[in-house]
Amino acid sequence: MGKIIFYEDRNFQGRSYECSCDCADLHSHFSHCKSIQVESGCWMVYDRPNFMGCQYFLHRGEYPDYQQWTGFTDCVRSCHMLPQHQGSHRMRIYERSDFGGQMMEFIDDCPYIFERFHYNDIQSCKVLDGFWLFYEHPHYRGRQYLLRPGEYRRYSDWGAISSSIGSMKRITYSN
């Protein structure tokens, strides 16, 4: 079981809402969110209802200000608890849509994709094992995209507006 607590004000002040499962619409519980405590589990929070919009990965810890989870806004509208994954992580990335062009397989985090793959653009990917995060910029910065096991034939399949990916990281409970 995971547990996450949302607060309307910075430094865990103001009204709060405690959650231990997925919630597709948090709007009725609070109007804005300026701090979060993750007591257990790993979570994705979204700035739009129904797990849409900007995504933010949060692991156990305290986030006294929304900018600490790289939030562009204090708007949190839905959350999803990530299942714990035991075992290996494996992903294949491709330079073209529909798994075309150059391919490279990853089993570990990659802070700077261009250095290893020689492309900034990832047009498609296959997540074979584990959960992964793509980051828009190198060194785990910028917009985040959750990738579950499965096939992503084009970058829009993982919710991106651009194929430019700078880094990627495995989701583990030790993040």
Side-chain angles (χ1 to χ4, degrees):
M1 285 289 290
K3 183 176 174 185
I4 187 169
I5 305 168
F6 302 96
Y7 296 87
E8 285 197 329
D9 297 322
R10 289 181 169 90
N11 297 314
F12 320 110
Q13 301 295 310
R15 282 187 7 180
S16 65
Y17 176 71
E18 189 175 299
C19 190
S20 58
C21 62
D22 294 355
C23 187
D25 191 357
L26 292 164
H27 182 70
S28 64
H29 303 292
F30 51 84
S31 60
H32 55 271
C33 177
K34 296 200 180 197
S35 56
I36 296 176
Q37 285 179 310
V38 177
E39 292 193 2
S40 57
C42 290
W43 295 81
M44 290 302 290
V45 297
Y46 303 82
D47 70 351
R48 292 184 29 213
N50 299 312
F51 320 110
M52 302 293 287
C54 292
Q55 308 172 35
Y56 307 104
F57 173 72
L58 302 174
H59 56 85
R60 187 174 183 187
E62 296 187 340
Y63 304 85
D65 188 310
Y66 71 90
Q67 292 170 332
Q68 290 186 332
W69 69 77
T70 66
F72 299 113
T73 175
D74 63 1
C75 186
V76 173
R77 291 292 178 249
S78 54
C79 67
H80 171 68
M81 188 178 77
L82 301 175
Q84 190 167 359
H85 173 74
Q86 303 285 336
S88 64
H89 287 75
R90 197 162 55 117
M91 178 195 298
R92 292 183 184 147
I93 62 174
Y94 299 84
E95 74 170 306
R96 294 196 187 117
S97 298
D98 292 315
F99 319 115
Q102 183 178 343
M103 181 275 292
M104 181 172 268
E105 186 167 297
F106 289 83
I107 59 171
D108 288 313
D109 299 348
C110 183
Y112 188 37
I113 289 176
F114 185 80
E115 201 170 67
R116 294 211 15 225
F117 190 54
H118 305 293
Y119 292 94
N120 281 335
D121 294 321
I122 296 174
Q123 297 287 336
S124 57
C125 73
K126 292 181 183 180
V127 177
L128 304 169
D129 293 304
F131 289 76
W132 293 76
L133 285 174
F134 275 162
Y135 291 83
E136 181 179 30
H137 301 297
H139 305 290
Y140 318 116
R141 295 178 302 111
R143 293 188 187 273
Q144 303 170 18
Y145 305 100
L146 172 65
L147 293 120
R148 307 165 193 273
E151 294 185 348
Y152 300 84
R153 296 188 169 280
R154 60 200 50 78
Y155 62 86
S156 60
D157 291 349
W158 62 77
I161 56 174
S162 162
S163 62
S164 181
I165 300 296
S167 52
M168 64 183 175
K169 184 180 274 195
R170 299 163 297 143
I171 294 179
T172 64
Y173 272 70
S174 61
N175 276 59

